[in-house]
Amino acid sequence: MNHWLLKSEPDTFSIDDLAARPKQITAWDGVRNYQARNMLRDSIKKGDTAFFYHSSCKVPGIAGIVGVVKSGYPDATAVDPKHHHYDAGSRPDQPTWYVVDVKLERKFSRVITLDELREHASKELADLALLRRGNRLSVTPVTSKNWNFILTLE
DNA sequence: GCCAACGTTGGC
DNA sequence: GCCAACGTTGGC
């Protein structure tokens, strides 16, 4: 079982939005970056867990944990012309973009802020992709060591 | 709103 | 295949 970190802008889709979904499940759609796509398609598997990260907001940080309940499958929003994530270059028979389904596992009692994570950037969290300079990937892997350490920060 | 960092596009 | 221009991300 592997661990991941998924970014979302809470103004668009927050952990509370996920909590309000039927069965607290959503397709993690709209990812339009090939590196991130590869992880959604090939690496992230049912049973994996991921941090739900709030980005581009007042207090960026990890808001909780989701579980992957369905492995990668084609992103329907990519081939829906009415959808704002529509990609004219993606064909239904040869999907370019993928999603996984995630289910809310737990909302943290408080957000573990980016600032806090940074305090450990040179030690415990030295290999956390999120903290690497210039990282903009919306889907990144998290080692078990990092995962467990971050859980102790809550 | 600024801007650094990075990905993508497209002309050559 | 190079690389400049452009668009996006995301913290501040």
Side-chain angles (χ1 to χ4, degrees), chain A residues 9-27:
Chain A
E9 301 187 15
D11 289 345
T12 306
F13 189 79
S14 71
I15 198 163
D16 290 326
D17 293 326
L18 178 57
R21 286 290 171 100
K23 298 184 183 175
Q24 302 190 326
I25 290 176
T26 189

Side-chain angles (χ1 to χ4, degrees), chain A residues 44-129:
Chain A
I44 304 180
K45 297 300 177 189
K46 183 177 175 179
D48 287 356
T49 48
F51 288 129
F52 193 119
Y53 180 85
H54 282 172
S55 67
S56 290
C57 57
K58 202 162 187 181
V59 185
I62 299 171
I65 297 173
V66 298
V68 178
V69 294
K70 188 174 178 181
S71 301
Y73 64 99
D75 185 342
T77 69
V79 293
D80 176 1
K82 295 188 299 292
H83 204 282
H84 65 288
H85 288 317
Y86 176 60
D87 174 14
S90 182
R91 316 181 119 267
D93 51 329
Q94 284 173 305
T96 305
W97 306 114
Y98 281 74
V99 300
V100 298
D101 283 355
V102 299
K103 180 183 171 71
L104 181 64
E105 221 160 75
R106 188 161 73 85
K107 180 183 170 179
F108 286 161
S109 54
R110 62 182 196 89
V111 171
I112 300 173
T113 66
L114 180 59
D115 280 349
E116 290 176 77
L117 296 172
R118 284 228 176 94
E119 289 172 16
H120 306 278
S122 56
K123 287 182 288 186
E124 295 92 340
L125 300 178
D127 49 354
L128 188 68

